[in-house]
């Protein structure tokens, strides 16, 4: 259940950010739940596109996965081309 491990880990980051004084204040958003659900795919993909908040939270987890997390949509094509060796 690697996907569930990622989702649970991401939830722990979101909860920790919600109860501790934030470095970068951010109110919880309705899309946060979708980010947690989508994060279950992280162990099964080479590239994972996430918004800035989710990408930052996932990067802080230091997961032992080879997945590249992309925070900015314009960077996605370059990352894919690099992985394809172009």
């Amino acid at each position: 259940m690697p996907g569930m491990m990622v989702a649970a880990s991401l939830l722990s980051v979101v909860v920790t950010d919600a109860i501790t004084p934030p470095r970068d204040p951010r109110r919880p958003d309705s899309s946060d739940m979708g980010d947690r659900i989508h994060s279950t795919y992280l162990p099964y993909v080479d590239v994972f596109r996430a918004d800035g908040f989710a990408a930052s939270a996932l990067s802080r987890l230091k997961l032992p996965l080879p997945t590249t997390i992309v925070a900015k949509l314009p960077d996605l094509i370059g990352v894919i081309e690099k992985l394809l060796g172009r």
Side-chain angles (χ1 to χ4, degrees), residues 6-79:
V6 173
S9 299
L10 179 57
L11 179 60
S12 71
V13 169
V14 172
V15 169
T16 300
D17 284 354
I19 62 174
T20 58
R23 295 173 296 235
D24 186 17
R26 178 191 177 274
R27 296 183 58 81
D29 193 352
S30 60
S31 67
D32 291 347
M33 184 60 180
D35 293 335
R36 285 193 292 280
I37 292 170
H38 294 140
S39 72
T40 61
Y41 293 106
L42 206 65
Y44 310 105
V45 297
D46 296 323
V47 179
F48 186 83
R49 164 67 177 108
D51 64 18
F53 172 73
S56 172
L58 289 166
S59 295
R60 285 187 286 158
L61 289 174
K62 306 273 191 246
L63 297 168
L65 302 170
T67 307
T68 302
I69 299 169
V70 179
K72 296 181 182 176
L73 187 58
D75 297 338
L76 187 58
I77 292 173
V79 169

